[in-house]
Amino acid sequence: MSVLDSMEAYLASDDYQNALQAPDVEPLRQYYYVGVLRKLRAQKEEQLGHPLYACTKTFGCQMKARDSEKIEGILKSAGYHLTEKEEEADVIIYNTCTVRENANTRVYGRLGYLNSLKKKKPHLMIILCGCMMQEAHVVEKIQKSYRFVDLIFGTYNVYQLAELMVRRMQSKKMVVEIWNKELGIVEELPTERKYSFKSGVNIMFGCNNFCSYCIVPYVRGRERSRDPKEIVEEVKRLADDGVVEIMLLGQNVNSYGKGLAEPVSFAQLLRMVSEVEGIKRIRFMTSHPKDLSQELIDAMAELPKVCKHLHLPVQSGSSRILKQMNRHYTKEQYLDLVKRLREAIPDISLTTDIIVGFPGETEEDFEETIDVVKQVEYDSCYTFIYSKRTGTPAAKMENQVPEDVIKDRFSRLLKVVGESSEKRTGLHLGQTVSVLVEEPNEQDDAMVTGRMDNNLLVHFRGGKRLIGQIVDVQLIECRGFYYIGELVLEN
Ligand code: SAH
Ligand code: SF4
């Protein structure tokens, strides 16, 4: 029985109809609150004379996007219509990120706008959740200066959304429910997938690495791996539901399985997931170089469903800075890893994350980073300006690099990164490759857009009925970072 069917069966049962209060056990407790929220929503719709819309905005990483799918699943089950337009919504949820300061600034900036919407539409419910809400100083500031916010919750209790919305509707004042650790994982709730044919799957939560610049371990807690059987079951359910591509998600997937009653390595998990019928492509992120084993390289080389793409954040090319960052590898070890990867999987596409301007970074350190980019020849790089995060060891380090120096280094880095991407992208010209068709082309109605195994985008002439299919496409023109292709064969 699907999760949705189980929930509906409970809501139709005498147990729910006769219940005087919410059950204590999950997920029944949340099913119960979805039922209550349905009734409250219907009453409100009757009062207002129109259906209620909910809008979720996601800031940040793939794991956050997955949480938003859970949020939308709950809202849809409670009968809300989903919209991307904030102006049209009766409930607005911001699922926030706090990895860099500018993510926080953006949210504060948008809150003023939400206040103006609420003035026009007093019943508008404003909800904030996600990593930023795990920081005490943020919650204090919102409670003090943004009193129009209705509900705040954190990263550990997303599954409680219906319960918390009901509490807000019944209490008439701001509800704040932040936990500082996980009190149980509830996965058996409906999710609203953004794409019908691909999905993220959480394999672990939190992070134990404490890179000295990073706030993630403080807002997402200690590393916990999900049971491999549960993961495989989830992947099977997704495959039954038409999903062909999955992305296994974790802050450091290479350390998957530590701490389980029967430890399983990430390479072993990949093999288990590979056996699920119907799944055609498997991706994963993120990999920490310090934990990337030869066993995983071998599994990637051997398993045909595993995409030949690896996101391997280097952060800096200077061994001295890497030590200060608490990354546990040197420039030489990283380059050796890349060499072994390219030997085992010659056509592998490598991408990375780089931070510019970590405290104490000298011109020589920065040149080491440039050198790594030139040597590795990444397909693409996510480049970040160092952002000081309160509470992390790096925030207290002396020698913070001046802004003008960082800006100059950043633009020099972008140039080298651009050259390397262009060179790599061009390598496939003329080849026929398999492409998972993802969406209609934004600019041209007669075209669709899809992704190659190595994550590069291809636009080609084709109908919308191809969406969700894997087709063969010949790459006829390279336009810098993407291709124009021609449909060869529908598989
Ligand atoms: N767990 C992943 C990445 C999580 S955060 C990993 O270890 O690779 C995503 C990226 O944001 C990081 O790889 C890093 O490059 C960047 N980042 C994290 N904290 C940052 C900070 N304080 N300033 C600038 N960039 C940061
Ligand atoms: Fe942050 Fe490092 Fe953990 Fe990645 S591995 S989430 S960068 S602490």
Side-chain angles (χ1 to χ4, degrees):
M1 203 197 287
S2 74
V3 166
L4 209 56
D5 292 340
S6 313
M7 188 184 78
E8 292 304 340
Y10 170 75
L11 290 174
S13 70
D14 289 344
D15 277 357
Y16 170 69
Q17 303 294 339
N18 301 331
L20 297 174
Q21 61 185 47
D24 287 331
V25 283
E26 298 292 6
L28 288 192
R29 185 178 174 83
Q30 297 314 314
Y31 295 172
Y32 171 91
Y33 278 110
V34 166
V36 180
L37 188 57
R38 264 185 202 172
K39 288 184 205 149
L40 293 174
R41 191 216 78 247
Q43 281 167 11
K44 194 82 200 162
E45 288 186 347
E46 194 150 323
Q47 193 188 333
L48 294 166
H50 63 76
L52 291 190
Y53 282 80
C55 170
T56 310
K57 292 280 173 210
T58 312
F59 302 77
C61 67
Q62 307 263 1
M63 298 189 85
K64 199 62 55 61
R66 184 72 183 139
D67 283 346
S68 288
E69 292 186 346
K70 294 178 186 171
I71 288 171
E72 294 199 325
I74 295 171
L75 290 166
K76 202 169 166 202
S77 309
Y80 288 92
H81 295 264
L82 303 181
T83 175
E84 288 185 6
K85 296 190 192 115
E86 286 162 285
E87 305 73 40
E88 188 172 276
D90 304 280
V91 177
I92 298 179
I93 304 193
Y94 276 9
N95 192 4
T96 63
C97 170
T98 190
V99 166
R100 289 166 292 276
E101 183 62 30
N102 57 7
N104 292 34
T105 317
R106 262 178 74 202
V107 168
Y108 287 128
R110 299 290 300 171
L111 280 177
Y113 172 63
L114 294 194
N115 193 17
S116 69
L117 288 182
K118 191 158 180 160
K119 283 193 177 129
K120 283 185 253 164
K121 200 193 279 184
H123 73 272
L124 174 65
M125 193 189 268
I126 299 174
I127 304 177
L128 303 177
C129 63
C131 292
M132 205 176 140
M133 301 305 131
Q134 292 294 141
E135 292 183 279
H137 67 93
V138 170
V139 175
E140 268 168 42
K141 182 166 167 169
I142 292 168
Q143 284 177 305
K144 203 164 137 231
S145 313
Y146 299 87
R147 302 233 22 103
F148 54 89
V149 170
D150 293 283
L151 165 61
I152 307 177
F153 59 91
T155 54
Y156 299 106
N157 53 343
V158 174
Y159 69 86
Q160 284 193 310
L161 176 65
E163 176 173 354
L164 297 173
M165 284 175 74
V166 168
R167 201 191 298 169
R168 170 66 186 91
M169 287 169 167
Q170 292 171 341
S171 79
K172 309 269 182 248
K173 57 176 202 261
M174 187 194 289
V175 170
V176 179
E177 183 76 35
I178 314 277
W179 299 350
N180 53 17
K181 64 173 198 290
E182 205 155 63
L183 303 172
I185 299 176
V186 181
E187 290 280 345
E188 306 89 350
L189 284 165
T191 49
E192 175 69 12
R193 289 200 315 274
K194 187 163 174 227
Y195 297 97
S196 60
F197 50 86
K198 69 171 186 176
S199 176
V201 174
N202 291 322
I203 63 164
M204 57 209 296
F205 302 95
C207 182
N208 279 356
N209 292 303
F210 290 93
C211 300
S212 63
Y213 50 81
C214 185
I215 201 162
V216 170
Y218 305 90
V219 293
R220 286 270 172 179
R222 292 296 62 72
E223 184 180 288
R224 293 90 66 201
S225 293
R226 279 179 77 197
D227 184 283
K229 283 192 223 74
E230 262 180 43
I231 296 171
V232 171
E233 279 311 309
E234 184 175 337
V235 175
K236 280 187 184 156
R237 277 201 305 271
L238 289 167
D240 288 345
D241 208 19
V243 167
V244 292
E245 178 179 302
I246 52 159
M247 164 90 88
L248 304 175
L249 297 171
Q251 293 298 350
N252 177 10
V253 293
N254 300 335
S255 78
Y256 172 80
K258 287 178 191 157
L260 287 174
E262 286 171 50
V264 170
S265 69
F266 181 59
Q268 285 168 321
L269 181 72
L270 271 185
R271 288 179 194 278
M272 290 157 118
V273 169
S274 249
E275 276 167 24
V276 176
E277 230 174 281
I279 296 297
K280 298 191 176 139
R281 280 182 171 182
I282 303 169
R283 299 186 186 279
F284 55 87
M285 75 187 287
T286 304
S287 292
H288 194 308
K290 81 177 163 68
D291 294 313
L292 197 135
S293 62
Q294 189 60 42
E295 187 199 8
L296 177 61
I297 299 178
D298 295 342
M300 282 187 82
E302 201 184 300
L303 299 170
K305 291 183 182 178
V306 175
C307 290
K308 305 295 175 259
H309 167 222
L310 188 68
H311 185 63
L312 194 63
V314 65
Q315 313 297 2
S316 167
S318 152
S319 298
R320 195 183 70 83
I321 293 289
L322 286 168
K323 192 155 198 289
Q324 299 279 311
M325 286 178 161
N326 196 29
R327 290 289 289 181
H328 296 280
Y329 54 86
T330 61
K331 176 185 180 188
E332 290 68 32
Q333 283 166 330
Y334 184 91
L335 289 174
D336 176 61
L337 198 50
V338 169
K339 184 164 155 266
R340 283 191 284 130
L341 278 160
R342 292 229 199 265
E343 272 164 14
I345 315 156
D347 51 351
I348 193 167
S349 136
L350 294 173
T351 55
T352 202
D353 291 347
I354 295 173
I355 298 177
V356 178
F358 182 82
E361 182 190 75
T362 62
E363 179 59 25
E364 290 70 41
D365 293 320
F366 174 69
E367 276 163 17
E368 301 269 23
T369 302
I370 295 275
D371 184 48
V372 168
V373 175
K374 285 186 174 160
Q375 286 201 46
V376 176
E377 295 192 338
Y378 294 105
D379 280 49
S380 64
C381 300
Y382 296 87
T383 45
F384 305 108
I385 287 180
Y386 168 72
S387 169
K388 192 170 170 178
R389 309 310 290 127
T390 312
T392 62
K396 290 191 217 82
M397 288 180 188
E398 286 163 13
N399 307 326
Q400 303 277 331
V401 183
E403 218 177 294
D404 55 333
V405 175
I406 294 186
K407 288 216 167 113
D408 172 61
R409 286 182 192 162
F410 193 72
S411 57
R412 281 155 62 204
L413 176 65
L414 284 188
K415 191 162 166 281
V416 180
V417 162
E419 285 161 6
S420 134
S421 306
E422 231 176 299
K423 197 155 147 194
R424 290 284 313 174
T425 310
L427 291 179
H428 312 278
L429 191 64
Q431 290 175 1
T432 296
V433 295
S434 50
V435 170
L436 171 58
V437 187
E438 297 198 339
E439 52 206 359
N441 188 279
E442 279 178 9
Q443 262 107 48
D444 185 343
D445 241 13
M447 292 178 92
V448 286
T449 299
R451 254 173 226 281
M452 293 161 56
D453 171 290
N454 63 12
N455 219 26
L456 281 178
L457 284 178
V458 187
H459 307 286
F460 64 97
R461 193 161 287 279
K464 292 182 187 51
R465 66 188 170 79
L466 295 177
I467 291 171
Q469 290 188 41
I470 295 183
V471 294
D472 283 348
V473 174
Q474 190 181 15
L475 305 174
I476 53 169
E477 190 188 336
C478 176
R479 296 213 185 141
F481 306 104
Y482 62 89
Y483 278 102
I484 302 294
E486 238 169 46
L487 182 64
V488 175
L489 185 69
E490 289 179 35
N491 287 334

